Every structure is written in C-alpha cells, then in structure tokens.
Amino acid sequence: MPSGHFGKFGGRFVPEMLIPALEELEVAYESSKKDPEFKKEFLDLLKNFCGRPTPLVFAKNLTEKLGGAKIYLKNEGLNHTGAHKITHCIGQGLLAKRMGKKRIIAETGAGQHGLACATVAAKFGMECVVYMGETDIARQRPNVFWMEQLGAKVVPVEYGNKTLKDAVNAALKDWIENVSDSYYLLGSVVGPHPYPTMTRDFQKIVGEEIQNQLKGAEKKLPDYVVACVGGGSNAMGAFNNFLPLKQVRLIGVEAGGRGTKKGDNAVRFKGGSVGVVEGFKSYFLQDEDGQVMNTHSVSAGLDYAGIGPELAFLKEEGRIEFESVTDKEALDAFKTLASFEGIIPALESAHAMAYALKLAPKLSKKEVIVVNLSGRGDKDLFIVAEAFKDKNFYSFLKDFLKNE
Ligand SMILES: *Cc1c(COP(=O)(O)O)cnc(C)c1O
C-alpha cells in the first residue's frame, strides 16, 4: 500500500501548491519518529504538562447496577485543557518547532481544537491564528474568550455558511500564503497524508495506557473498547494498540442526533457515501452532487460530515464495528455517569457511555468493557443547562447581565 492510503481510503488530494508543504511535513515527521530526543521531549510534556497517564477507573456502581460486564472508564477528561486533543496538539507543536516554524494556523468549529492549539502555541512561544466561522464564534463565545486569553488571534470567517467548512478554506489559504514560517495544525485523524497517520501515532499512547492499566487491575485484555467518533482521533488513539489483538472488539459510536432523517445526525456509515473532501478519500454525508451536507449533534465534536480514512478502512475490513446513539440517549448517559460515578463527561464522550450502558447488561460478569471518556463536561455547561431546561441557571444568567 502506498503511504497515506488505507485500502482505497486516505491519500493526498490537494492543490498542487500544497504538495511541497505536505512533503516537507512528512519528511520532518518521519525523521522525528527516529529521534529519541523528540520522543523524550514528547513524553516529558505528556507527563508534566498534560497530566498523563490519565486514570483508568473501575465504574463499580454502574457495574453493580447493570449486573453484566465490568465497566472501566479511561478518564481522558483529566488531561490539561480537558480532553484528549491536547496530546496530538503537543506532538504537532513539537514538530512545528523542529521544522523551525514560528506560527501555528488552525481552524476550529466548536472551539475545542482552537483552544488546544492556542495552549500549545503559548507553551512553545509561537504565534497562533485560529480561523472560526462567524456563526460558530457567536455560538461558542466561552472558547473564543479563552483562546484570546491564551494570546491567540481568532479571525472571524464571514463567507459561506460561516462555519467549520469555511474556516478550513480560510486556514488553507493562509497556509498557502505563509507556508515558509507557518505550521498548519489539523485537529483529528482527517485531512491529506500525513495528518491521519501522524495524529493517530501521537494519540496511540491512550490504548497503550489502557492495556497496561487493565493488565494491572484485571490481568487481562479488555473484551470491548468503546469510543465516540467525530473525525476519529480519540477512537484511533484508544483502538490502535488493540488492532492486532482480534479477541478485543472495537466499537465506534457515531452521533445519531435527533433521528434518522438526512441532516438530523452525523452517522456517516449509514447515511453517507464514499467521496473526496478536504484532501482525503473517506465516507462523507453528501448530497447527490457531492456537496457536503449539514449535520446535527448535541455534541459539537461529533457534528462533522466526514470520518478519518483509517476508520473507514477498518470498518470495511470488519475490524471496527460502528453503532450510533441519539442526542437523548447521550444526555441520559451524561446524567447517569455524573450521578452514579461522579464524573461529568463531555457530551461526545457521553455517546460512548450511552452505548456501553446498553451493552453491559447483555454480557457476562467476567467480561470487561473499557469506555474511552474523551473529555470532561465543563465546556458543555450552556448546552446541558439548555437541554435540561434548568430555570435556575437562566435566572442566574439574567441576574449576571443586570449587574453588568
Ligand atoms: C473534539 C472532541 C471529540 C471528537 O473528535 P475525535 O477526533 O473524533 O476524537 C470527542 N470528544 C471530545 C471531548 C472532543 O473534544
């Protein structure tokens, strides 16, 4: 298989003028892999800046309540900045430094990726420009505020739908114009080669930690690993180490949203088709003309029309199974996890949890499910308060404005 291809998926479908930049990146990445100093610095930052390894905790109360398989939770929410994303952003930030770049370019939809980039840029003393659609800026003000506090410049994108897709185009335009001093930091296992491979390689430490930690706790491999899938970086991170171990079943959970109608969810494998978008070949939710469709999910991180090419390949190979859960099921799982285990998950991670809650009672007490909780729920405060129609929270906001 030529590098950057996963079966028929992946590849590098970009304008001619970006090829040299991607080749430069690939060469730098390949050489960094062979450099023990690079690895040492990466692992040191993961330990001392990120907070790795994150805990793998036995969900005793839920396990007893459900009466089936043992449930373990990989608490990625305890990473610095609250989710798994910081891990691959540190890896790419180090690479940018190695390549002598002075400036990080990123695009963001919900703002979580922008926040992780702004954090890494501050840590490495680099300039950071984050492109964000005007509509998204209006919806995600808290993240914009934090990015600015971290010293990043958030540039509103005022054309198209004014959302993520337009921000991607603006970021690519900037990269083409400033390729000599700028690094384009992509946020998931998507995009043209080498991004999907590189991002997976930075994230694969999660599955390695899971395997070691579970060996200590249960002296066995997990029977199931369950992770939510937006672009797929937390899922590939949790799954990668188990790919050759066929007895471990790997389950990706997509956003079922409001229901099965087109545009109401982000279930790429049921509603989508194979296409080439944003530089790579994979499954996308698209209309007959190949235009990317709008998607919906209560969780911003899963609200994405595409999926990483390696996940598409592993789905076709039958190695990863895919399920979906609805907004409602995810919100219920959010509440269940918070009240039974004292962990407030990100709404993305609540999707993985929701599926595990359905799976556990069907299994024997000897079996073990590991749920990858990709992030913590702080960022979802406003969405959860709205979903649960918390009147007291709204009166708090009104009073807050009165005191302005
Ligand atoms: C961004 C995000 C996701 C989705 O991205 P993947 O690349 O699919 O992992 C999932 N969970 C959290 C907490 C996120 O912030």
Side-chain angles (χ1 to χ4, degrees):
M1 226 185 283
S3 63
H5 289 263
F6 306 96
K8 67 179 187 220
F9 301 106
R12 182 182 277 170
F13 298 86
V14 294
E16 202 59 43
M17 55 236 228
L18 275 180
I19 298 282
L22 289 168
E23 281 173 353
E24 182 196 2
L25 176 60
E26 187 177 1
V27 168
Y29 176 58
E30 289 301 327
S31 89
S32 77
K33 276 206 290 198
K34 297 184 198 109
D35 180 355
E37 276 306 307
F38 185 90
K39 187 161 188 194
K40 189 160 157 263
E41 200 175 356
F42 181 51
L43 292 178
D44 179 71
L45 283 162
L46 291 187
K47 177 162 178 258
N48 298 310
F49 187 61
C50 228
R52 288 199 168 281
T54 58
L56 180 76
V57 63
F58 176 47
K60 184 166 178 288
N61 300 333
L62 275 179
T63 297
E64 281 170 10
K65 170 181 142 75
L66 297 168
K70 285 187 174 171
I71 299 174
Y72 276 82
L73 306 170
K74 178 64 170 163
N75 196 348
E76 286 287 291
L78 288 180
N79 279 305
H80 182 47
T81 71
H84 70 290
K85 285 191 174 76
I86 190 80
T87 305
H88 59 245
C89 287
I90 286 177
Q92 290 194 51
L94 278 177
L95 204 54
K97 203 169 79 164
R98 184 186 177 89
M99 293 166 78
K101 309 289 182 186
K102 306 267 180 291
R103 188 170 168 268
I104 301 270
I105 304 167
E107 83 283 328
T108 196
Q112 289 306 115
H113 172 57
L115 192 64
C117 287
T119 302
V120 164
K123 175 73 180 156
F124 293 161
M126 290 180 191
E127 202 187 317
C128 183
V129 183
V130 181
Y131 290 92
M132 195 166 176
E134 262 193 340
T135 312
D136 287 333
I137 289 184
R139 288 193 289 211
Q140 305 288 347
R141 181 49 66 178
N143 279 333
V144 176
F145 178 78
W146 289 133
M147 280 184 261
E148 288 171 349
Q149 298 306 308
L150 287 159
K153 186 169 162 220
V154 181
V155 181
V157 178
E158 294 159 0
Y159 51 80
N161 281 337
K162 304 174 188 171
T163 57
L164 181 60
K165 195 166 153 248
D166 315 296
V168 171
N169 290 334
L172 282 175
K173 184 164 175 285
D174 183 327
W175 196 31
I176 289 170
E177 284 161 11
N178 298 291
V179 82
S180 60
D181 74 339
S182 300
Y183 181 95
Y184 180 38
L185 209 166
L186 246 176
S188 189
V189 287
V190 297
H193 180 64
Y195 285 104
T197 307
M198 183 171 74
T199 305
R200 175 205 66 203
D201 286 348
F202 288 135
Q203 280 292 344
K204 70 184 181 191
I205 190 165
V206 179
E208 293 165 4
E209 288 177 9
I210 291 173
Q211 192 171 342
N212 279 333
Q213 290 166 318
L214 195 68
K215 201 167 164 194
E218 294 285 340
K219 301 195 173 39
K220 63 173 275 181
L221 288 169
D223 296 285
Y224 290 82
V225 182
V226 182
C228 66
V229 185
S233 63
N234 89 87
M236 276 317 301
F239 294 165
N240 183 73
N241 213 41
F242 299 108
L243 290 175
L245 305 167
K246 297 283 159 56
Q247 66 270 46
V248 182
R249 286 177 71 175
L250 306 172
I251 304 198
V253 184
E254 295 182 279
R258 287 183 289 251
T260 53
K261 233 173 68 202
K262 268 189 189 311
D264 274 357
N265 60 66
V267 185
R268 285 70 48 102
F269 286 122
K270 286 213 183 85
S273 50
V274 176
V276 173
V277 181
E278 285 170 20
F280 66 107
K281 189 170 189 177
S282 189
Y283 273 83
F284 294 90
L285 286 163
Q286 50 194 339
D287 64 19
E288 293 77 31
D289 302 329
Q291 290 294 326
V292 171
M293 292 193 325
N294 285 331
T295 51
H296 165 80
S297 170
V298 69
S299 70
L302 305 186
D303 198 353
Y304 177 56
I307 190 162
E310 190 172 14
L311 288 139
F313 171 68
L314 291 166
K315 147 91 176 158
E316 290 210 337
E317 292 283 290
R319 183 63 191 98
I320 303 181
E321 300 157 65
F322 281 84
E323 301 287 343
S324 65
V325 308
T326 63
D327 285 355
K328 164 100 182 33
E329 289 171 315
L331 284 162
D332 289 348
F334 173 96
K335 206 150 200 176
T336 302
L337 186 58
S339 57
F340 278 85
E341 295 294 340
I343 294 177
I344 295 179
L347 285 174
E348 292 83 0
S349 323
H351 283 70
M353 195 64 227
Y355 182 72
L357 295 178
K358 293 197 258 188
L359 177 65
K362 297 183 201 154
L363 304 177
S364 81
K365 291 188 179 184
K366 286 203 200 99
E367 290 175 280
V368 171
I369 303 174
V370 173
V371 183
N372 197 41
L373 293 180
S374 50
R376 60 177 180 245
D378 310 25
K379 69 182 178 65
D380 295 321
L381 172 63
F382 288 86
I383 296 164
V384 174
E386 188 183 14
F388 293 147
K389 300 190 172 55
D390 191 296
K391 291 211 180 68
N392 292 331
F393 188 74
Y394 280 92
S395 47
F396 159 76
L397 288 179
K398 277 185 206 141
D399 290 347
F400 184 79
L401 289 177
K402 251 186 250 156
N403 299 337
E404 194 190 25

